[in-house]
Coordinates of all heavy atoms in Angstrom, one line a residue:
Q35 N 132.0 -85.7 193.2 CA 133.1 -86.3 192.5 C 134.4 -85.9 193.1 O 135.3 -86.8 193.2 CB 133.1 -85.8 191.0 CG 134.1 -86.4 190.1 CD 134.1 -85.9 188.7 OE1 133.7 -84.7 188.4 NE2 134.5 -86.7 187.7
G36 N 134.6 -84.7 193.6 CA 135.8 -84.3 194.2 C 136.1 -85.2 195.4 O 137.2 -85.6 195.7
A37 N 135.1 -85.4 196.3 CA 135.3 -86.2 197.5 C 135.6 -87.6 197.1 O 136.5 -88.3 197.7 CB 134.0 -86.1 198.3
L38 N 134.8 -88.2 196.2 CA 135.0 -89.6 195.8 C 136.4 -89.8 195.2 O 137.1 -90.7 195.6 CB 134.0 -90.0 194.7 CG 134.1 -91.4 194.2 CD1 134.0 -92.4 195.3 CD2 133.1 -91.6 193.1
E39 N 136.9 -88.9 194.3 CA 138.2 -89.1 193.7 C 139.3 -88.8 194.7 O 140.4 -89.4 194.5 CB 138.3 -88.2 192.4 CG 137.3 -88.6 191.3 CD 137.5 -87.8 190.1 OE1 138.3 -86.8 190.1 OE2 136.8 -88.1 189.1
A40 N 139.1 -88.0 195.6 CA 140.1 -87.8 196.7 C 140.3 -89.1 197.5 O 141.4 -89.5 197.8 CB 139.7 -86.6 197.6
G41 N 139.2 -89.7 197.8 CA 139.2 -91.0 198.5 C 139.9 -92.1 197.7 O 140.7 -92.9 198.2
L42 N 139.6 -92.2 196.4 CA 140.2 -93.2 195.5 C 141.7 -92.9 195.4 O 142.5 -93.8 195.4 CB 139.6 -93.1 194.1 CG 138.2 -93.8 194.1 CD1 137.6 -93.4 192.7 CD2 138.3 -95.3 194.3
A43 N 142.1 -91.6 195.3 CA 143.5 -91.3 195.2 C 144.3 -91.7 196.4 O 145.5 -92.2 196.3 CB 143.7 -89.8 195.0
M44 N 143.7 -91.7 197.6 CA 144.4 -92.2 198.8 C 144.7 -93.7 198.8 O 145.7 -94.1 199.3 CB 143.5 -91.9 200.1 CG 143.4 -90.4 200.4 SD 142.3 -90.1 201.8 CE 143.1 -91.0 203.1
I45 N 143.8 -94.4 198.1 CA 143.9 -95.9 198.1 C 144.8 -96.3 196.9 O 145.7 -97.1 197.1 CB 142.5 -96.5 198.0 CG1 141.7 -96.2 199.3 CG2 142.6 -98.0 197.8 CD1 140.2 -96.5 199.1
I46 N 144.6 -95.7 195.8 CA 145.3 -96.2 194.5 C 146.6 -95.5 194.4 O 147.5 -95.9 193.7 CB 144.4 -95.9 193.3 CG1 143.0 -96.5 193.5 CG2 145.1 -96.5 192.0 CD1 143.0 -98.0 193.7
R47 N 146.8 -94.4 195.1 CA 148.0 -93.6 195.2 C 148.4 -92.9 193.8 O 149.5 -92.8 193.4 CB 149.2 -94.5 195.6 CG 149.0 -95.1 197.0 CD 150.2 -95.8 197.5 NE 150.0 -96.4 198.8 CZ 150.1 -95.7 200.0 NH1 150.4 -94.4 199.9 NH2 149.9 -96.3 201.1
R48 N 147.3 -92.5 193.2 CA 147.4 -91.7 192.0 C 146.0 -91.1 191.7 O 145.0 -91.6 192.2 CB 147.9 -92.5 190.8 CG 146.9 -93.5 190.3 CD 147.3 -94.0 188.9 NE 146.4 -95.1 188.4 CZ 145.3 -94.9 187.8 NH1 144.8 -93.7 187.6 NH2 144.5 -95.9 187.4
P49 N 145.9 -90.0 190.9 CA 144.6 -89.5 190.6 C 143.8 -90.5 189.8 O 144.4 -91.2 188.9 CB 144.9 -88.3 189.7 CG 146.3 -87.9 190.1 CD 147.0 -89.1 190.4
V50 N 142.6 -90.7 190.1 CA 141.7 -91.6 189.4 C 140.5 -90.8 188.9 O 139.8 -90.2 189.7 CB 141.2 -92.8 190.4 CG1 140.2 -93.7 189.6 CG2 142.4 -93.6 190.9
R51 N 140.2 -90.9 187.6 CA 139.1 -90.1 187.1 C 137.9 -91.0 187.0 O 138.0 -92.1 186.4 CB 139.5 -89.6 185.7 CG 138.5 -88.6 185.1 CD 138.5 -87.3 186.0 NE 137.7 -86.2 185.4 CZ 137.4 -85.1 186.0 NH1 137.8 -84.9 187.2 NH2 136.6 -84.2 185.4
T52 N 136.8 -90.5 187.5 CA 135.5 -91.3 187.5 C 134.6 -90.8 186.4 O 134.6 -89.6 186.0 CB 134.8 -91.2 188.8 OG1 134.5 -89.9 189.1 CG2 135.6 -91.9 189.9
V53 N 133.8 -91.7 185.9 CA 132.7 -91.4 184.9 C 131.4 -91.7 185.5 O 131.2 -92.9 186.0 CB 132.9 -92.2 183.6 CG1 131.7 -91.9 182.6 CG2 134.2 -91.8 182.9
V54 N 130.4 -90.8 185.6 CA 129.2 -91.0 186.3 C 128.0 -91.2 185.3 O 128.0 -90.8 184.2 CB 128.9 -89.7 187.2 CG1 128.5 -88.5 186.3 CG2 127.9 -90.0 188.2
A55 N 127.0 -91.9 185.9 CA 125.8 -92.2 185.0 C 125.0 -91.0 184.7 O 124.5 -90.8 183.6 CB 125.0 -93.3 185.7
G56 N 124.9 -90.1 185.7 CA 124.2 -88.9 185.6 C 124.6 -87.8 186.5 O 124.6 -87.9 187.7
R57 N 125.1 -86.7 186.0 CA 125.6 -85.6 186.8 C 124.4 -84.9 187.5 O 123.4 -84.6 186.8 CB 126.4 -84.6 185.9 CG 127.8 -85.1 185.6 CD 128.6 -84.0 184.9 NE 128.2 -83.7 183.6 CZ 128.7 -82.8 182.8 NH1 129.8 -82.1 183.2 NH2 128.3 -82.6 181.6
T58 N 124.5 -84.7 188.7 CA 123.5 -84.0 189.5 C 123.9 -82.6 189.8 O 125.1 -82.3 190.0 CB 123.2 -84.8 190.8 OG1 124.4 -85.1 191.5 CG2 122.4 -86.1 190.5
D59 N 122.9 -81.7 189.9 CA 123.1 -80.3 190.2 C 123.4 -80.1 191.7 O 123.2 -81.0 192.5 CB 121.9 -79.4 189.9 CG 121.7 -79.4 188.4 OD1 122.6 -79.6 187.6 OD2 120.5 -79.2 188.0
A60 N 123.8 -78.9 192.1 CA 124.1 -78.6 193.5 C 122.8 -78.8 194.3 O 121.7 -78.4 193.9 CB 124.5 -77.1 193.6
G61 N 123.0 -79.5 195.4 CA 121.8 -79.7 196.3 C 121.0 -80.9 196.0 O 120.1 -81.3 196.7
V62 N 121.2 -81.6 194.8 CA 120.4 -82.8 194.4 C 121.1 -84.0 195.0 O 122.3 -84.1 195.1 CB 120.4 -82.8 192.9 CG1 119.7 -84.1 192.4 CG2 119.7 -81.6 192.3
H63 N 120.2 -85.0 195.3 CA 120.7 -86.2 196.0 C 120.6 -87.4 195.1 O 120.1 -87.3 194.0 CB 119.8 -86.5 197.2 CG 119.4 -85.2 198.0 ND1 120.2 -84.5 198.7 CD2 118.2 -84.5 198.0 CE1 119.6 -83.5 199.3 NE2 118.4 -83.5 198.8
A64 N 121.2 -88.5 195.5 CA 121.2 -89.7 194.7 C 121.1 -90.9 195.7 O 121.8 -91.0 196.7 CB 122.4 -89.9 193.9
R65 N 120.2 -91.8 195.3 CA 120.1 -93.1 196.1 C 120.7 -94.2 195.3 O 121.1 -95.2 195.9 CB 118.6 -93.4 196.4 CG 118.4 -94.7 197.2 CD 116.9 -94.8 197.6 NE 116.6 -94.0 198.8 CZ 115.8 -92.9 198.7 NH1 115.2 -92.6 197.6 NH2 115.6 -92.2 199.8
G66 N 120.7 -94.1 194.0 CA 121.2 -95.2 193.1 C 122.1 -94.7 192.0 O 122.0 -95.0 190.8
Q67 N 123.2 -93.9 192.4 CA 124.1 -93.4 191.4 C 125.1 -94.5 191.1 O 125.5 -95.4 191.9 CB 124.9 -92.2 192.0 CG 125.8 -91.5 191.1 CD 125.2 -90.9 189.9 OE1 124.9 -91.6 188.9 NE2 124.9 -89.6 189.9
V68 N 125.7 -94.4 189.8 CA 126.7 -95.4 189.3 C 127.8 -94.7 188.7 O 127.6 -93.7 187.9 CB 126.0 -96.4 188.3 CG1 127.0 -97.4 187.8 CG2 124.8 -97.1 188.9
V69 N 129.0 -95.1 189.0 CA 130.2 -94.6 188.3 C 131.1 -95.7 187.9 O 131.0 -96.9 188.3 CB 131.0 -93.6 189.2 CG1 130.2 -92.5 189.8 CG2 131.7 -94.4 190.4
H70 N 132.0 -95.4 186.9 CA 133.1 -96.4 186.6 C 134.4 -95.7 186.6 O 134.5 -94.4 186.4 CB 132.8 -97.1 185.3 CG 133.2 -96.4 184.1 ND1 132.2 -95.9 183.1 CD2 134.4 -96.0 183.5 CE1 132.8 -95.3 182.1 NE2 134.1 -95.4 182.4
F71 N 135.5 -96.4 186.7 CA 136.8 -95.9 186.6 C 137.7 -97.1 186.2 O 137.4 -98.3 186.4 CB 137.4 -95.2 187.8 CG 137.3 -96.0 189.1 CD1 138.3 -96.9 189.4 CD2 136.2 -96.0 189.9 CE1 138.3 -97.6 190.6 CE2 136.1 -96.8 191.0 CZ 137.2 -97.6 191.4
D72 N 138.9 -96.8 185.6 CA 139.8 -97.8 185.1 C 141.1 -97.9 186.0 O 141.6 -96.9 186.3 CB 140.2 -97.6 183.7 CG 139.0 -97.7 182.7 OD1 138.0 -98.4 183.0 OD2 139.0 -97.0 181.7
L73 N 141.5 -99.1 186.3 CA 142.7 -99.4 187.0 C 143.5 -100.4 186.2 O 143.0 -101.2 185.4 CB 142.4 -99.9 188.4 CG 141.6 -99.1 189.4 CD1 141.4 -99.9 190.7 CD2 142.2 -97.8 189.6
T74 N 144.8 -100.4 186.5 CA 145.6 -101.5 186.0 C 145.3 -102.8 186.8 O 144.8 -102.7 187.9 CB 147.1 -101.3 186.1 OG1 147.5 -101.2 187.5 CG2 147.5 -99.9 185.4
E75 N 145.6 -103.9 186.2 CA 145.3 -105.2 187.0 C 146.1 -105.2 188.3 O 145.6 -105.7 189.3 CB 145.7 -106.4 186.1 CG 144.8 -106.5 184.9 CD 145.1 -107.8 184.1 OE1 146.2 -108.3 184.3 OE2 144.3 -108.1 183.2
A76 N 147.3 -104.7 188.2 CA 148.2 -104.6 189.4 C 147.6 -103.7 190.5 O 147.6 -104.0 191.7 CB 149.6 -104.1 189.1
E77 N 147.0 -102.6 190.1 CA 146.3 -101.7 191.0 C 145.1 -102.3 191.7 O 144.8 -102.2 192.9 CB 146.0 -100.4 190.3 CG 147.2 -99.5 190.0 CD 146.8 -98.3 189.1 OE1 145.8 -98.4 188.4 OE2 147.5 -97.3 189.2
W78 N 144.3 -103.0 190.9 CA 143.1 -103.7 191.4 C 143.5 -104.8 192.4 O 142.9 -104.8 193.5 CB 142.4 -104.3 190.2 CG 141.2 -105.1 190.6 CD1 141.0 -106.5 190.4 CD2 140.0 -104.7 191.2 NE1 139.8 -106.9 190.9 CE2 139.1 -105.8 191.4 CE3 139.5 -103.5 191.7 CZ2 137.9 -105.7 192.0 CZ3 138.3 -103.4 192.3 CH2 137.5 -104.5 192.4
T79 N 144.5 -105.5 192.1 CA 145.0 -106.6 193.0 C 145.6 -105.9 194.3 O 145.3 -106.5 195.4 CB 146.0 -107.5 192.4 OG1 145.5 -108.0 191.2 CG2 146.5 -108.6 193.3
A80 N 146.3 -104.8 194.2 CA 146.9 -104.2 195.3 C 145.9 -103.6 196.3 O 146.3 -103.2 197.4 CB 147.9 -103.1 194.8
V81 N 144.6 -103.4 195.9 CA 143.6 -102.9 196.8 C 143.6 -103.7 198.1 O 143.3 -103.2 199.2 CB 142.2 -102.9 196.1 CG1 141.1 -102.7 197.2 CG2 142.2 -101.8 195.1
T82 N 143.9 -105.0 198.0 CA 143.9 -105.9 199.2 C 145.2 -105.8 200.0 O 145.3 -106.6 201.0 CB 143.7 -107.4 198.7 OG1 144.8 -107.8 198.0 CG2 142.4 -107.5 197.9
R83 N 146.1 -105.0 199.6 CA 147.4 -104.9 200.2 C 148.1 -106.2 200.3 O 148.7 -106.6 201.2 CB 147.2 -104.3 201.6 CG 146.7 -102.9 201.7 CD 146.4 -102.5 203.1 NE 146.0 -101.1 203.2 CZ 145.4 -100.5 204.2 NH1 145.0 -101.2 205.2 NH2 145.1 -99.2 204.2
N84 N 148.0 -106.9 199.1 CA 148.7 -108.2 198.9 C 148.2 -109.3 199.8 O 149.0 -110.3 200.1 CB 150.2 -108.0 199.0 CG 150.7 -107.1 197.9 OD1 150.3 -107.2 196.8 ND2 151.6 -106.2 198.3
R85 N 147.0 -109.2 200.4 CA 146.4 -110.3 201.1 C 145.6 -111.2 200.2 O 144.5 -110.8 199.9 CB 145.6 -109.7 202.3 CG 146.4 -108.9 203.3 CD 145.5 -108.3 204.3 NE 146.2 -107.4 205.2 CZ 145.6 -106.6 206.1 NH1 144.3 -106.6 206.2 NH2 146.4 -105.8 206.8
E86 N 146.2 -112.3 199.8 CA 145.6 -113.1 198.7 C 144.2 -113.6 199.1 O 143.4 -113.9 198.2 CB 146.6 -114.2 198.3 CG 147.9 -113.7 197.8 CD 148.8 -114.9 197.4 OE1 148.4 -116.0 197.5 OE2 149.9 -114.6 196.9
A87 N 143.9 -113.8 200.3 CA 142.7 -114.3 200.7 C 141.5 -113.3 200.6 O 140.3 -113.7 200.6 CB 142.7 -114.8 202.2
L88 N 141.8 -112.1 200.4 CA 140.8 -111.0 200.3 C 140.4 -110.8 198.9 O 141.2 -110.9 197.9 CB 141.3 -109.7 200.9 CG 141.7 -109.8 202.4 CD1 142.1 -108.4 202.9 CD2 140.5 -110.2 203.2
D89 N 139.1 -110.5 198.7 CA 138.6 -110.1 197.4 C 138.7 -108.6 197.2 O 138.3 -107.8 198.1 CB 137.1 -110.5 197.3 CG 136.4 -110.2 196.0 OD1 137.0 -109.4 195.2 OD2 135.3 -110.8 195.8
P90 N 139.3 -108.1 196.1 CA 139.4 -106.6 196.0 C 138.1 -105.8 196.0 O 138.1 -104.7 196.5 CB 140.1 -106.5 194.6 CG 140.8 -107.8 194.4 CD 139.9 -108.8 195.0
A91 N 137.0 -106.4 195.6 CA 135.8 -105.6 195.5 C 135.3 -105.2 196.9 O 135.1 -104.0 197.2 CB 134.7 -106.4 194.7
P92 N 135.0 -106.1 197.8 CA 134.5 -105.7 199.1 C 135.6 -105.0 199.9 O 135.3 -104.1 200.7 CB 134.1 -107.0 199.8 CG 134.8 -108.1 199.1 CD 134.9 -107.6 197.7
T93 N 136.9 -105.3 199.6 CA 138.0 -104.6 200.3 C 138.0 -103.1 199.9 O 138.2 -102.2 200.7 CB 139.3 -105.2 200.0 OG1 139.3 -106.6 200.3 CG2 140.4 -104.6 200.7
L94 N 137.7 -102.9 198.6 CA 137.7 -101.5 198.1 C 136.5 -100.7 198.8 O 136.7 -99.6 199.2 CB 137.5 -101.5 196.6 CG 137.4 -100.1 196.0 CD1 138.7 -99.2 196.3 CD2 137.2 -100.1 194.5
V95 N 135.4 -101.4 198.9 CA 134.2 -100.7 199.6 C 134.6 -100.4 201.0 O 134.4 -99.2 201.5 CB 133.0 -101.7 199.6 CG1 131.9 -101.0 200.4 CG2 132.5 -101.9 198.2
R96 N 135.3 -101.3 201.7 CA 135.6 -101.0 203.1 C 136.7 -99.9 203.2 O 136.5 -99.0 204.0 CB 136.2 -102.3 203.7 CG 136.7 -102.1 205.2 CD 137.1 -103.4 205.8 NE 138.2 -104.1 205.0 CZ 139.5 -103.7 205.0 NH1 139.9 -102.7 205.7 NH2 140.3 -104.3 204.2
R97 N 137.7 -100.0 202.4 CA 138.8 -99.0 202.5 C 138.3 -97.6 202.0 O 138.6 -96.6 202.6 CB 140.0 -99.4 201.6 CG 140.7 -100.7 202.2 CD 142.0 -100.9 201.4 NE 142.9 -99.8 201.5 CZ 144.0 -99.7 200.8 NH1 144.3 -100.6 199.9 NH2 144.8 -98.7 201.0
L98 N 137.5 -97.6 200.9 CA 137.0 -96.3 200.4 C 136.0 -95.7 201.4 O 136.0 -94.5 201.6 CB 136.3 -96.5 199.1 CG 135.9 -95.3 198.3 CD1 137.0 -94.3 198.2 CD2 135.3 -95.7 196.9
S99 N 135.2 -96.5 202.1 CA 134.3 -96.0 203.1 C 135.1 -95.4 204.2 O 134.6 -94.3 204.8 CB 133.4 -97.1 203.6 OG 132.6 -97.7 202.6
G100 N 136.2 -96.0 204.6 CA 137.0 -95.4 205.6 C 137.6 -94.0 205.2 O 137.7 -93.1 205.9
A101 N 138.1 -94.0 203.9 CA 138.6 -92.7 203.4 C 137.6 -91.6 203.3 O 137.9 -90.4 203.4 CB 139.2 -93.0 202.0
L102 N 136.3 -92.0 203.1 CA 135.2 -91.0 203.0 C 134.6 -90.7 204.4 O 133.5 -90.0 204.4 CB 134.2 -91.5 202.0 CG 134.6 -91.7 200.6 CD1 133.5 -92.4 199.8 CD2 135.0 -90.3 200.0
S103 N 135.1 -91.2 205.4 CA 134.5 -91.0 206.8 C 134.4 -89.5 207.1 O 133.6 -89.0 207.8 CB 135.3 -91.7 207.8 OG 136.7 -91.2 207.9
R104 N 135.3 -88.7 206.5 CA 135.3 -87.2 206.7 C 134.0 -86.6 206.1 O 133.7 -85.5 206.5 CB 136.5 -86.6 206.0 CG 136.5 -86.7 204.5 CD 137.8 -86.2 203.9 NE 138.9 -87.1 204.1 CZ 140.1 -86.8 203.7 NH1 140.4 -85.7 203.0 NH2 141.1 -87.7 203.9
E105 N 133.3 -87.3 205.2 CA 132.1 -86.8 204.7 C 130.9 -87.0 205.6 O 129.8 -86.6 205.3 CB 131.7 -87.5 203.4 CG 132.8 -87.4 202.3 CD 133.2 -85.9 202.0 OE1 132.3 -85.1 201.8 OE2 134.4 -85.6 202.0
Q106 N 131.1 -87.6 206.8 CA 130.2 -87.8 207.8 C 128.8 -88.4 207.4 O 127.7 -88.0 207.8 CB 129.9 -86.4 208.5 CG 131.1 -85.8 209.1 CD 130.9 -84.5 209.8 OE1 130.0 -83.7 209.4 NE2 131.6 -84.2 210.9
G107 N 129.0 -89.4 206.5 CA 127.8 -90.1 206.1 C 127.1 -89.6 204.9 O 126.1 -90.1 204.5
A108 N 127.5 -88.4 204.4 CA 126.8 -87.8 203.3 C 127.1 -88.5 201.9 O 126.3 -88.4 201.0 CB 127.2 -86.4 203.1
L109 N 128.1 -89.3 201.9 CA 128.5 -90.1 200.7 C 128.8 -91.5 201.1 O 129.7 -91.8 201.9 CB 129.7 -89.4 200.0 CG 130.4 -90.1 198.8 CD1 129.4 -90.5 197.7 CD2 131.5 -89.3 198.3
V110 N 128.0 -92.5 200.6 CA 128.1 -93.9 201.0 C 128.3 -94.7 199.8 O 127.7 -94.6 198.7 CB 126.8 -94.3 201.7 CG1 126.8 -95.8 202.0 CG2 126.6 -93.5 203.0
I111 N 129.3 -95.6 199.9 CA 129.6 -96.6 198.8 C 128.9 -97.9 199.1 O 129.1 -98.5 200.2 CB 131.1 -96.9 198.7 CG1 131.9 -95.6 198.6 CG2 131.4 -97.8 197.5 CD1 131.5 -94.7 197.4
H112 N 128.0 -98.3 198.3 CA 127.2 -99.6 198.5 C 127.9 -100.8 198.0 O 127.9 -101.9 198.6 CB 125.8 -99.4 197.9 CG 124.9 -98.5 198.6 ND1 124.7 -98.6 200.0 CD2 124.2 -97.5 198.2 CE1 123.8 -97.7 200.4 NE2 123.5 -97.0 199.3
Q113 N 128.5 -100.7 196.8 CA 129.1 -101.9 196.2 C 130.1 -101.5 195.2 O 130.1 -100.5 194.5 CB 127.9 -102.6 195.5 CG 128.4 -104.0 194.9 CD 127.2 -104.7 194.3 OE1 126.0 -104.3 194.4 NE2 127.4 -105.9 193.7
A114 N 131.1 -102.4 195.0 CA 132.2 -102.3 194.0 C 132.2 -103.6 193.3 O 132.0 -104.7 193.9 CB 133.5 -102.0 194.6
S115 N 132.5 -103.6 192.0 CA 132.6 -104.8 191.2 C 133.4 -104.6 190.0 O 133.5 -103.4 189.5 CB 131.2 -105.3 190.9 OG 130.5 -104.4 190.1
L116 N 133.9 -105.7 189.4 CA 134.5 -105.6 188.1 C 133.4 -105.5 187.1 O 132.5 -106.3 187.0 CB 135.4 -106.8 187.8 CG 136.8 -106.8 188.5 CD1 137.5 -108.1 188.1 CD2 137.6 -105.6 188.1
A117 N 133.5 -104.4 186.2 CA 132.4 -104.2 185.3 C 132.5 -105.2 184.1 O 133.6 -105.6 183.7 CB 132.5 -102.8 184.7
P118 N 131.3 -105.6 183.6 CA 131.3 -106.5 182.4 C 132.0 -105.9 181.2 O 132.1 -104.6 181.1 CB 129.9 -106.8 182.2 CG 129.2 -106.4 183.4 CD 130.0 -105.3 184.0
E119 N 132.3 -106.6 180.2 CA 132.9 -106.1 179.0 C 132.0 -105.1 178.3 O 130.8 -105.4 178.2 CB 133.2 -107.3 178.0 CG 133.9 -106.9 176.8 CD 135.4 -106.5 177.0 OE1 136.0 -106.9 178.0 OE2 135.9 -105.7 176.2
G120 N 132.5 -104.0 178.0 CA 131.7 -103.0 177.3 C 131.0 -102.0 178.1 O 130.3 -101.1 177.6
F121 N 131.1 -102.2 179.5 CA 130.3 -101.3 180.4 C 130.8 -99.9 180.4 O 132.0 -99.6 180.5 CB 130.3 -101.9 181.8 CG 129.6 -101.1 182.8 CD1 128.2 -101.2 182.9 CD2 130.3 -100.2 183.6 CE1 127.5 -100.4 183.9 CE2 129.6 -99.4 184.6 CZ 128.2 -99.5 184.7
D122 N 129.9 -98.9 180.3 CA 130.1 -97.5 180.5 C 129.0 -97.0 181.3 O 127.8 -97.1 181.0 CB 130.2 -96.8 179.1 CG 130.6 -95.3 179.2 OD1 129.8 -94.6 179.8 OD2 131.7 -95.0 178.7
A123 N 129.4 -96.4 182.5 CA 128.4 -96.0 183.5 C 127.4 -95.0 182.9 O 126.2 -95.0 183.1 CB 129.1 -95.4 184.7
R124 N 127.9 -94.1 182.0 CA 127.1 -93.1 181.4 C 126.3 -93.6 180.1 O 125.1 -93.5 180.0 CB 127.9 -91.9 181.0 CG 127.1 -90.7 180.3 CD 128.1 -89.6 179.9 NE 127.3 -88.6 179.2 CZ 127.9 -87.6 178.5 NH1 129.2 -87.5 178.4 NH2 127.1 -86.7 177.9
F125 N 127.1 -94.1 179.2 CA 126.5 -94.4 177.9 C 125.8 -95.7 177.7 O 125.0 -96.0 176.8 CB 127.6 -94.2 176.8 CG 128.0 -92.8 176.5 CD1 129.3 -92.4 176.9 CD2 127.1 -91.9 176.0 CE1 129.7 -91.1 176.7 CE2 127.5 -90.6 175.8 CZ 128.8 -90.2 176.1
S126 N 126.1 -96.7 178.6 CA 125.5 -98.0 178.6 C 124.1 -98.0 179.2 O 123.4 -99.0 179.1 CB 126.4 -99.1 179.2 OG 127.6 -99.3 178.5
A127 N 123.7 -97.0 179.9 CA 122.5 -97.0 180.6 C 121.3 -97.0 179.7 O 121.2 -96.3 178.7 CB 122.4 -95.7 181.5
L128 N 120.3 -97.8 180.1 CA 119.0 -97.9 179.3 C 118.1 -96.7 179.8 O 117.4 -96.1 178.9 CB 118.3 -99.2 179.6 CG 119.0 -100.4 179.0 CD1 118.3 -101.7 179.6 CD2 119.0 -100.4 177.5
W129 N 118.1 -96.4 181.1 CA 117.2 -95.4 181.6 C 117.7 -95.0 183.0 O 118.4 -95.7 183.6 CB 115.7 -95.7 181.5 CG 115.3 -97.0 182.1 CD1 115.1 -98.2 181.5 CD2 115.0 -97.3 183.5 NE1 114.7 -99.2 182.4 CE2 114.6 -98.6 183.6 CE3 115.1 -96.5 184.7 CZ2 114.3 -99.2 184.8 CZ3 114.7 -97.1 185.9 CH2 114.4 -98.5 186.0
R130 N 117.2 -93.8 183.4 CA 117.4 -93.3 184.7 C 116.1 -92.9 185.3 O 115.2 -92.4 184.5 CB 118.3 -92.0 184.8 CG 119.8 -92.3 184.4 CD 120.1 -91.9 183.0 NE 121.5 -91.9 182.8 CZ 122.1 -92.1 181.6 NH1 121.3 -92.5 180.5 NH2 123.4 -92.0 181.4
S131 N 115.9 -93.0 186.6 CA 114.6 -92.5 187.2 C 114.9 -91.6 188.4 O 115.9 -91.7 189.1 CB 113.8 -93.7 187.7 OG 114.5 -94.4 188.7
Y132 N 114.1 -90.6 188.5 CA 114.2 -89.6 189.6 C 112.8 -89.5 190.3 O 111.8 -89.8 189.7 CB 114.4 -88.2 189.0 CG 115.9 -88.0 188.6 CD1 116.3 -88.3 187.3 CD2 116.8 -87.3 189.4 CE1 117.6 -88.1 186.9 CE2 118.1 -87.0 189.0 CZ 118.5 -87.4 187.8 OH 119.8 -87.2 187.4
R133 N 112.9 -89.0 191.5 CA 111.6 -88.7 192.2 C 111.8 -87.3 192.8 O 112.9 -86.8 193.1 CB 111.3 -89.7 193.3 CG 112.2 -89.6 194.6 CD 111.6 -90.3 195.7 NE 112.4 -90.4 196.9 CZ 112.5 -89.4 197.8 NH1 111.8 -88.3 197.6 NH2 113.3 -89.4 198.8

Side-chain angles (χ1 to χ4, degrees):
Q35 185 180 28
L38 178 61
E39 292 184 355
L42 286 169
M44 290 177 61
I45 297 168
I46 308 302
R47 300 187 181 278
R48 68 166 175 86
V50 177
R51 191 65 172 173
T52 57
V53 175
V54 71
R57 285 188 288 181
T58 49
D59 294 336
V62 175
H63 321 288
R65 181 172 285 111
Q67 185 65 278
V68 181
V69 305
H70 82 246
F71 55 90
D72 295 331
L73 302 178
T74 66
E75 292 180 348
E77 287 171 335
W78 175 244
T79 302
V81 167
T82 65
R83 295 171 173 164
N84 298 318
R85 298 175 185 174
E86 295 182 1
L88 297 181
D89 183 343
T93 303
L94 179 60
V95 173
R96 177 178 56 79
R97 294 187 63 191
L98 187 53
S99 297
L102 293 173
S103 60
R104 68 186 69 180
E105 302 304 310
Q106 299 182 325
L109 173 53
V110 175
I111 308 301
H112 287 308
Q113 186 175 355
S115 60
L116 285 179
E119 185 70 26
F121 177 82
D122 185 291
R124 178 185 177 192
F125 290 114
S126 293
L128 293 171
W129 50 262
R130 290 97 166 152
S131 65
Y132 283 84
R133 73 165 177 83

